[in-house]
Amino acid sequence: GAGVSQTPSNKVTEKGKYVELRCDPISGHTALYWYRQSLGQGPEFLIYFQGTGAADDSGLPNDRFFAVRPEGSVSTLKIQRTERGDSAVYLCASSLGAGGPYEQYFGPGTRLTVT
Amino acid sequence: GQNIDQPTEMTATEGAIVQINCTYQTSGFNGLFWYQQHAGEAPTFLSYNVLDGLEEKGRFSSFLSRSKGYSYLLLKELQMKDSASYLCAVMDSNYQLIWGAGTKLIIKP
């Protein structure tokens, strides 16, 4: 079956612009996670959804970052007024459930560059 | 605070054995994961340990000691394709993954 997909694969934007990053999880996976990863670092947790609701958004760095998952499947990470420090690879992962030792399956990521 | 430590980089020879260590301090423990990440690609699952001891899976094995807050990933019969970063991640009391920075493994012929 299809894995986790993310679009776009690359996004270059100017400082101050708004961007949307999309994640399409594995069908049937109820939990969806957003991470960002800088070069030479491990993934940094941003937010996770169980179904349609954000179960934990404690990793969002500030109120410029927002994510939705309106129908419990596809999710969009939205970044307002982008800053150069937002440049990173944004990874999405999904798992069968949450609240247990479920394996997370990762998408290929979106490389965001803010100029 | 929560902390995962692993070496930044290691070098090994094709056909040899390498051990990548990971030590952790986290709020709660619900298991430890190892993931492999090739450059420019997504992390992929390698192993999961929640009980003390060694889990073997082909050329890869993972060990856990909960009392010592310590794990290692053992790779045998190294192949060039094993050149990648290896990420250690601990699942905390909220079932969130806390990630180490990864160990870049370089395999030389």
Side-chain angles (χ1 to χ4, degrees):
Chain A
V4 178
S5 62
Q6 293 186 245
T7 54
S9 54
N10 280 284
K11 176 72 177 177
V12 180
T13 191
E14 292 180 347
K15 178 176 177 296
K17 300 289 189 183
Y18 168 82
V19 295
E20 289 190 353
L21 312 179
R22 176 189 166 109
C23 172
D24 203 334
I26 293 172
S27 177
H29 280 194
T30 62
L32 184 148
Y33 302 79
W34 283 100
Y35 296 90
R36 69 179 176 183
Q37 187 176 28
S38 300
L39 193 63
Q41 298 297 315
E44 173 194 0
F45 170 77
L46 296 176
I47 184 171
Y48 100 89
F49 291 86
Q50 178 61 33
T52 60
D56 183 348
D57 64 358
S58 61
L60 294 177
N62 51 59
D63 61 6
R64 295 187 298 106
F65 289 74
F66 188 70
V68 295
R69 194 186 185 199
E71 298 178 359
S73 179
V74 171
S75 176
T76 305
L77 178 66
K78 308 180 181 193
I79 310 174
Q80 299 177 320
R81 305 184 304 279
T82 51
E83 300 177 356
R84 292 194 180 88
D86 299 334
S87 296
V89 175
Y90 288 80
L91 294 168
C92 174
S94 69
S95 62
L96 273 173
Y102 296 97
E103 177 188 341
Q104 293 183 18
Y105 295 80
F106 283 82
T110 294
R111 181 175 298 279
L112 176 67
T113 303
V114 181
T115 62
Chain B
Q2 309 207 90
N3 198 47
I4 312 284
D5 284 317
Q6 46 182 136
T8 303
E9 187 175 296
M10 298 182 71
T11 302
T13 304
E14 190 178 15
I17 299 173
V18 71
Q19 177 175 312
I20 302 173
N21 296 325
C22 171
T23 58
Y24 63 88
Q25 290 178 305
T26 56
S27 56
F29 180 83
N30 280 300
L32 185 145
F33 291 78
W34 284 95
Y35 277 76
Q36 180 190 60
Q37 187 174 27
H38 284 100
E41 297 183 10
T44 55
F45 170 81
L46 288 177
S47 68
Y48 170 72
N49 293 68
V50 67
L51 299 176
D52 288 354
L54 188 69
E55 295 277 345
E56 297 187 76
K57 191 186 292 186
R59 293 190 300 115
F60 292 8
S61 303
S62 55
F63 172 84
L64 175 68
S65 168
R66 288 171 298 172
S67 62
K68 295 182 179 177
Y70 168 69
S71 173
Y72 67 73
L73 180 69
L74 191 72
L75 291 74
K76 302 176 187 176
E77 300 168 16
L78 286 170
Q79 302 174 10
M80 297 304 293
K81 67 178 182 178
D82 297 330
S83 292
S85 286
Y86 291 85
L87 297 161
C88 173
V90 172
M91 187 164 271
D92 70 9
S93 56
N94 294 319
Y95 293 97
Q96 294 300 336
L97 284 178
I98 310 301
W99 295 83
T103 298
K104 182 178 180 180
L105 178 62
I106 300 168
I107 310 296
K108 295 186 174 179

